[in-house]
Amino acid sequence: MLLIACPYCGPRAEIEFAYGGEAHIARPGPGVTEEEWAAFLYLRDNTKGVLAERWRHSHGCGRFFNALRDTRTDRILTTYEMGTPRPDIKEGEAA
Amino acid sequence: MQKFSAFSLARQALGRHLGWQPQWRSVAPKPSYDIIIVGGGGHGLGAAYYLAKQHGLRNIAVVERGWLAGGNTARNTTIIRSNYLFEQSSSYYEHALKLWEGLSDELNYNVMFSQRGCLMIAHNVHDVQVFKRHVYANRLNGIDNEWLTPEQVKAFCPPLNISPNIRYPVLGGALQRRAGTARHDAVAWGYARAASDLGVDIIENCEVTGIDRDASGRVTGVQTTRGPIRAGKVGVSAAGHSSVVMAMAGIRLPLQVNPLQALVSEPVKPAFPCVVMSNTIHAYISQSDKGEMVIGAGTDSYVSYTQRGGLHIPAHTLEAICELVPDFRRLRMLRSWGGITDNTPDRSPITAKTSVPGLYVNCGWGTGGFKATPGAANLFAWTIARDEPHPINAPFTIERFREGTLIDEAAAAAVAH
Ligand SMILES: Cc1cc2nc3c(=O)[nH]c(=O)nc-3n(C[C@H](O)[C@H](O)[C@H](O)COP(=O)(O)OP(=O)(O)OC[C@H]3O[C@@H](n4cnc5c(N)ncnc54)[C@H](O)[C@@H]3O)c2cc1C
């Protein structure tokens, strides 16, 4: 089970959280092509390596936040608030 | 190829079994092939076999990064059935089931296909309604599936506890009698042996690291850890690594990988007569011929390539199973493991041409592709050989996600298969 540091509540067990999938996917504006809309809805990088992803502390504060996690080891490098840019941490570096 | 029969077994026994040959040739990559299949799981090996057997092609290689069938082929709980809701899905899975029924003969290899029946248990009103809908839809499509009352469930599978007072009571079940299990390794080995005999090169410990294309964008070969190999066509059947391999040709897929876990108990005498599935508690149970209870659990929620997951996932399944099958309470579990399952948003696979000429993909089988092995292999081979899909796999494109023509088994079953 993962130990996830909620930016608001601190480290908590994974069962308190709901997964929100890949982060930083912006909804494209009106007037997009079918390709862009399909990509927004369905296409994912599915990264093998450091992935930016969303979590929600659903059984805690209820808030969404982002995490950087290495999908080859499941090690979480850092967590950060929604709306802030992806931290520039490379694989192998700790937060 | 040495043929397996009672006669050859007796003859080898007289020679103290020293005369058996390796089942497939171990080869180094040639500089060039007509067709390269990336991924030596059941689907990839089978595709190579059907390319050679049914389409008369000979200059084919299967390139596998690890050892043969060490991916999800070796990790799955081997449930085989075809009672999917939508016509497109049931005809694909039924095509596979029909091939399973003749596979041991076709390959001269005992794949231990056992049609012991698969019972899907309903625990609440929603399950009852959904499963009955499946039963009716399947029957309209000519696929066997029947509804059992709790008493009939108990008669078919006596170890089940049908008390109405447990946390997940048995309200009935959908039974497909032609469903069952097979021996996972045997399927891969059988295809490898038969393909090798038809001249297919099976190259292990050779990871594809790049896909080469010419100025027009057409595929010209692959880069591997054992050097470049030229190819006229490349078929990717890399299961959990489909996104990684297809990204080498600039293609993003509608896939997300999740760990899926399974575990086996110590071996016991025959005690569990059929396959039992419960989507609600994410439990998938059968007994192997060695006597182990094989138990599949649910998926972990997050993207991961680690081939392991959290203990709380199987714990949830086991807690429910201990109530549902009280006899299992004293069983000791021997091993647990995980696999990387490649899931599409509609939980239906992709077996298709791609926007890159000469590049084909078979992926998205997620948590339920073992049952499809012969069918997917057969239709992937067809698609590669003819450069167009067979009518059965024609709906299973990447473009369906743009067109909105989803085959939404995810909504139909609400969970894995
Ligand atoms: C725990 C678990 C239980 C399951 N239970 C069931 C079940 O009961 N019924 C069912 O129908 N399905 C089940 N499945 C799903 C099923 O196992 C898969 O859908 C199916 O096996 C995938 O096809 P495959 O056999 O070809 O994949 P794999 O055996 O995974 O083959 C893919 C191969 O591609 C290779 N590869 C990857 N990248 C590269 C590269 N760059 N270069 C070369 N080779 C590469 C891999 O090493 C691998 O050997 C289960 C899966 C898991 C994990």
Side-chain angles (χ1 to χ4, degrees):
Chain A
M1 190 183 304
L2 304 179
L3 182 64
I4 303 172
C6 169
Y8 309 101
C9 311
R12 298 291 184 90
E14 180 196 329
I15 43 170
E16 291 188 16
F17 299 85
Y19 191 59
E22 220 160 288
H24 305 294
I25 299 177
R27 181 188 173 107
V32 289
T33 62
E34 277 185 2
E35 270 72 23
E36 288 167 315
W37 186 244
F40 162 69
L41 284 179
Y42 299 123
L43 300 189
R44 296 294 177 263
D45 288 339
N46 204 15
T47 312
K48 184 177 183 181
V50 178
L51 172 71
E53 63 190 8
R54 303 184 306 172
W55 287 90
R56 180 170 178 254
H57 195 184
S58 45
H59 296 289
C61 61
R63 293 215 249 178
F64 271 99
F65 61 92
N66 291 334
L68 287 186
R69 186 174 50 89
D70 190 332
T71 60
R72 292 164 304 183
T73 57
D74 287 343
R75 208 166 78 90
I76 295 172
L77 308 182
T78 188
T79 54
Y80 54 102
E81 291 179 19
M82 294 301 279
T84 56
R86 175 181 170 142
D88 191 22
I89 302 177
K90 301 274 165 341
E91 11 195 312
E93 286 176 35
Chain B
M1 180 172 91
Q2 285 174 318
K3 222 170 142 42
F4 294 134
S5 65
F7 177 70
S8 71
L9 196 63
R11 227 181 50 180
Q12 293 294 340
L14 291 177
R16 298 175 174 200
H17 292 291
L18 296 173
W20 293 113
Q21 289 161 7
Q23 297 191 15
W24 55 87
R25 296 168 294 117
S26 174
V27 292
K30 289 194 285 194
S32 163
Y33 292 93
D34 293 342
I35 300 172
I36 289 178
I37 302 287
V38 182
H43 287 220
L45 293 163
Y49 167 74
Y50 290 113
L51 280 167
K53 176 83 183 182
Q54 292 190 331
H55 303 278
L57 300 160
R58 284 295 179 273
N59 193 18
I60 304 165
V62 177
V63 177
E64 165 54 48
R65 87 195 245 270
W67 65 92
L68 208 109
N72 288 348
T73 301
R75 293 162 185 274
N76 81 92
T77 50
T78 76
I79 299 174
I80 296 167
R81 60 187 183 87
S82 67
N83 50 352
Y84 283 69
L85 180 65
F86 296 110
E87 204 174 321
Q88 298 95 320
S89 326
S90 60
S91 44
Y92 202 158
Y93 290 101
E94 180 64 17
H95 178 61
L97 185 50
K98 291 215 173 92
L99 289 171
W100 276 113
E101 286 172 336
L103 199 59
S104 291
D105 281 343
E106 159 111 27
L107 299 178
N108 177 234
Y109 208 96
N110 186 1
V111 300
M112 298 166 78
F113 180 47
S114 156
Q115 292 178 294
R116 60 186 71 174
C118 175
L119 189 58
M120 294 171 82
I121 305 274
H123 298 290
N124 50 47
V125 175
H126 173 77
D127 284 352
V128 172
Q129 289 170 345
V130 166
F131 290 170
K132 283 190 174 169
R133 184 180 174 211
H134 273 71
V135 168
Y136 300 137
N138 289 150
R139 293 186 146 196
L140 286 173
N141 288 323
I143 286 163
D144 71 303
N145 198 5
E146 60 197 90
W147 178 255
L148 302 190
T149 63
E151 293 69 32
Q152 290 169 320
V153 165
K154 178 82 181 167
F156 191 75
C157 186
L160 290 177
N161 174 8
I162 58 164
S163 157
N165 299 323
I166 61 177
R167 170 70 183 84
Y168 298 100
V170 177
L171 302 188
L175 171 65
Q176 184 175 30
R177 292 184 192 269
R178 285 164 64 239
T181 58
R183 169 95 165 98
H184 47 37
D185 291 329
V187 178
W189 296 338
Y191 274 128
R193 170 172 168 271
S196 175
D197 187 51
L198 293 171
V200 172
D201 280 359
I202 293 164
I203 304 159
E204 294 176 77
N205 298 308
C206 181
E207 178 171 353
V208 169
T209 53
I211 294 178
D212 298 331
R213 297 158 71 187
D214 65 16
S216 74
R218 207 191 150 77
V219 162
T220 57
V222 294
Q223 296 290 325
T224 78
T225 47
R226 294 174 71 175
I229 315 175
R230 287 194 307 279
K233 292 177 177 179
V234 172
V236 176
S237 194
H241 279 80
S242 301
S243 295
V244 177
V245 177
M246 294 300 284
M248 296 169 191
I251 293 185
R252 279 177 95 207
L253 290 170
L255 288 181
Q256 177 176 296
V257 291
N258 297 90
L260 179 65
Q261 301 182 62
L263 58 172
V264 291
S265 74
E266 59 192 337
V268 292
K269 290 203 169 156
F272 206 74
C274 60
V275 180
V276 167
M277 293 177 53
S278 163
N279 289 345
T280 298
I281 61 177
H282 300 292
Y284 309 88
I285 316 166
S286 67
Q287 187 170 19
S288 76
D289 291 316
K290 271 190 287 181
E292 303 146 328
M293 295 302 164
V294 181
I295 297 177
T299 47
D300 288 80
S301 64
Y302 48 82
V303 172
S304 178
Y305 286 85
T306 58
Q307 296 189 320
R308 60 172 185 262
L311 192 58
H312 59 292
I313 300 287
H316 163 77
T317 295
L318 292 179
E319 280 163 11
I321 285 179
C322 284
E323 224 187 9
L324 196 60
V325 195
D327 292 354
F328 285 4
R329 282 184 193 170
R330 294 174 59 198
L331 276 180
R332 280 165 296 205
M333 291 296 149
L334 284 189
R335 293 188 304 281
S336 77
W337 63 88
I340 313 168
T341 61
D342 48 328
N343 299 295
T344 57
D346 63 0
R347 298 294 185 270
S348 287
I350 295 166
T351 308
K353 292 170 67 166
T354 68
S355 54
V356 173
L359 184 66
Y360 306 83
V361 67
N362 172 52
C363 68
W365 289 99
T367 58
F370 178 73
K371 64 178 69 65
T373 303
N378 185 259
L379 299 180
F380 194 38
W382 174 293
T383 307
I384 295 171
R386 305 197 178 207
D387 195 38
E388 65 179 21
H390 185 279
I392 295 178
N393 68 306
F396 294 85
T397 60
I398 305 177
E399 288 74 34
R400 74 174 184 266
F401 294 96
R402 175 171 55 75
E403 295 160 355
T405 47
L406 304 190
I407 303 157
D408 208 350
E409 294 290 340
V415 281
H417 10 143

